[in-house]
Amino acid sequence: MAKAVMDERLHKIRHSMAHVMAEAVLQMFPDAQIAIGPAIETGFYYDFDLPRQLIPADLDEITERMTAIIKEQKDFVRKTVTRAEAQQLFAQQYYKLELLKAIPEDEEVSIYELGGFIDLCRGPHVENTKQLNAQAFKLLSIAGAYWRGKETNPMLTRIYGTAWANPKELRLYLKHLEDVEKRDHRKLGKELDLFSLHEEAGPGLVYWHPKGARIRLAIEDFWRAEHYKNGYEMVSTPHVGKSWLWETSGHLDFYKEGMYPAMEMDNAQYYAKPMNCPFHIMIYNNTKHSYRDLPCRWAELGTVYRYEKAGALHGLLRVRGFTQDDAHIICTPAQVEQEILEVLRFSLFMLRSFGFTEISAYLSTMPEKSVGEPEKWALATESLRKAIEAEGLDYDVDEGGGAFYGPKIDLKIKDAIGREWQLSTVQFDFNLPERFKMTFVDNDGAEKQPFMVHRALLGSIERFFGVLLEHYAGAFPPWLAPEQVRVIPVAEAFNGYARDITALLREEGYRVSGDLGTDRLNAKVRNAQKEKIPYMLVLGEKEEQNRAVSVRYRDGKQENGVPLEDFIQFLEEKINLKEVL
């Protein structure tokens, strides 16, 4: 209960701060057009159509004006007005007039006054600016935003800010933002030479560099090995398909704007695949299936293409070409409960293997408009619920939040600094089996429609890699590190011993390199630490004489004179157990 009260209080503070900011901006630019200014999860923003572009220095002046407005202790006054009165009040504010038109006829129109500033608004707000703390807010950034999110609409200036109940909460949040900035996967990806994105060659398409590809390969090798252990078979499908596939699946009706444009070939239209499911169904429908053949568990690291809006692209977290950690389970109704339980257990095992320990679940149920018989929905939803409860997970229910074609579970993890990310999804589908006429012959000899479950454990390799990179701040555990060991001789005289150890470790299957350059020892160690290499083996006369190594860890600790065989055994244990340094 206390948390809900605090959330409501902060919402009022942030919404009120958005109005205070709008008044300050109008003081600077009296002819500015104002659009929308909501409270958001950690702050607020307001969109403006301004006579010139803002620069960061403008935020200082806006902040000073906001502080002055707060100190004037003005009331937030709510009034209900007629549509005609609202049209007169906002006669010079055409974005507000457009918003006014969108208010249903049977809904009242309310405004809020703050001194001389008037806004079309439902609220809620604090009663007076004295309830706002002038030391507990900060304007953060300036960005561009299309009106109503449409690229064909005017580009507006968006000012972001954050507001809290007191200065201490603000300081903690700003410290959190510093942590977020340090962990930004785009920044780390460049510093560690892991990947790049090239606008000139195609936005939202990822170029994996050798070090990034090493990590990706380690993820994929582990993924494949565990799938085989869990009874899956691998399939591989094309990158493009005829329009018939997407007409049948329904994507061309519901998702065409999110697909790459058609390619004309052989008097037919082809599309780059946005999803793998129709291709897996084609494999299933290629042969007749008995109940004895089921379940079919088919997995693929399938690269798909989605035409995301340019403004929505964000490093590895939102791209146009990505490799989906995809699988489909085709089973009988009698098998579905056990299959879901195993999928959930597998998902949790995979997430925990990568170091994520705080995991929660979200169960989305049947919406008003749906396909499939109610009894199928009931069976599927109950199977999902039982699986969540069997694993003892905390979960929330999103009533009516399922897709029209089936209920689902989403698993969300918390990273090292407490941010929540949605990764795994288990999704029932009653739509595609019907559209593609999937069947199996049951034990009574009758043809029946199977259940189909879409399942992604990591989501996509690109997005998962971005989340993982930020979670570890680039300091990957040894089993994932692109370079696990750096061999560093203290002088040229020991280069031969360094080469021998490098070759031995490489032959054992470890990712290792030797720094045989002419830099000083401290510079070599510093370079390895900047690259976040887990283990540095420092070699000198004593080490060579005793066939030993001095192990320097990423955090600066060092153990001298470790027998080489002991280090190799230690390394094997660390990597096999997937331990985190």
Side-chain angles (χ1 to χ4, degrees), residues 489 491-501 516 544:
E492 188 177 347
F494 308 106
N495 282 2
Y497 184 46
R499 288 192 188 95
D500 290 345
I501 288 184
L516 309 184
E544 184 173 22

Side-chain angles (χ1 to χ4, degrees), residues 165-233:
N166 55 63
K168 181 181 178 182
E169 289 181 2
L170 175 64
R171 285 195 301 272
L172 289 173
Y173 178 67
L174 295 179
K175 174 64 171 63
H176 172 76
L177 289 185
E178 287 178 16
D179 289 342
V180 169
E181 187 176 355
K182 287 176 186 174
R183 291 169 180 269
D184 189 313
H185 73 280
R186 296 165 297 180
K187 174 172 170 285
L188 290 169
K190 186 172 184 178
E191 289 175 358
L192 300 174
D193 193 25
L194 302 176
F195 66 89
S196 58
L197 298 148
H198 299 272
E199 188 80 16
E200 70 278 13
L205 303 173
V206 183
Y207 291 70
W208 293 88
H209 296 199
K211 290 181 180 179
R214 281 277 197 176
I215 303 170
R216 174 174 176 152
L217 187 62
I219 293 170
E220 291 183 353
D221 284 348
F222 174 65
W223 185 92
R224 289 188 185 92
E226 293 303 324
H227 275 74
Y228 279 126
K229 287 179 188 176
N230 281 270
Y232 286 78
E233 292 295 334

Side-chain angles (χ1 to χ4, degrees), residues 223 227 325 343 346-347 350-351 423-425 455-459:
W223 185 92
H227 275 74
D325 149 42
V343 166
F346 191 16
S347 299
M350 291 291 285
L351 296 177
L423 294 178
S424 305
T425 296
R455 186 242 63 188
L457 303 186
L458 309 180

Side-chain angles (χ1 to χ4, degrees), residues 282-294:
M282 294 297 291
I283 295 173
Y284 180 85
N285 282 350
N286 190 58
T287 55
K288 204 172 183 68
H289 292 273
S290 159
Y291 70 95
R292 296 186 184 90
D293 304 323
L294 303 183

Side-chain angles (χ1 to χ4, degrees), residues 515-534:
D515 187 345
L516 309 184
T518 57
D519 287 341
R520 291 177 179 270
L521 175 62
N522 286 345
K524 292 180 178 182
V525 169
R526 188 163 55 249
N527 289 338
Q529 286 179 320
K530 281 177 65 177
E531 294 176 47
K532 303 183 187 292
I533 296 169

Side-chain angles (χ1 to χ4, degrees), residues 11 114 127 165 351 362 373 446 453 455 503 525 567:
H11 180 82
L114 178 64
E127 294 177 0
L351 296 177
Y362 295 79
E373 295 86 352
V453 178
R455 186 242 63 188
V525 169
F567 173 72

